[in-house]
Amino acid sequence: MTVRYENIHLHAKVGQAASAQFRQWLDQNGIAYINLDYADPLDDLRALSTWYRDDNDDPIIFTNSPVLTYDRVVWEADDGSDKYVKSWYATESSDLPSDFTTLAEQVS
């Protein structure tokens, strides 16, 4: 069971409609995130392509922005001293888990 979603980063392209739409969705849902805008996101996408693997253990190659990266905290010690985190990604808001808006860190 997911405790919360944290370390949310939007890897986006300046002036791209899809990036603007994802940013707007995050803002409308009050989700705290770090916006990483790139005029040319190619180097960023290459780096992201080393982070995730598919079911065959092959790298997932990102060729276009936006990409939202986040950590899913699935367990945390009561005193906060330890936790188990799984890194995930989404390329559009519809790819996110149904509980994302309620369990993601909110803008304070």
Side-chain angles (χ1 to χ4, degrees), residues 34-108:
I34 295 174
N35 185 55
L36 301 169
D37 266 343
Y38 298 93
D40 181 3
L42 188 58
D43 287 338
D44 180 55
L45 294 173
R46 282 186 190 135
L48 286 177
S49 296
T50 67
W51 294 10
Y52 301 95
R53 301 231 171 241
D54 66 16
D55 293 336
N56 296 321
D57 204 34
D58 294 323
I60 295 173
I61 306 299
F62 296 102
T63 58
N64 203 5
S65 295
V67 178
L68 186 78
T69 59
Y70 60 96
D71 290 338
R72 187 177 106 201
V73 180
V74 293
W75 175 85
E76 186 171 27
D78 291 338
D79 64 0
S81 63
D82 196 15
K83 62 184 173 182
Y84 177 70
V85 176
K86 189 97 164 124
S87 295
W88 293 87
Y89 71 92
T91 56
E92 53 188 59
S93 60
S94 61
D95 294 337
L96 293 167
S98 60
D99 61 358
F100 191 82
T101 57
T102 56
L103 295 180
E105 291 182 317
Q106 298 293 306
V107 175
S108 52

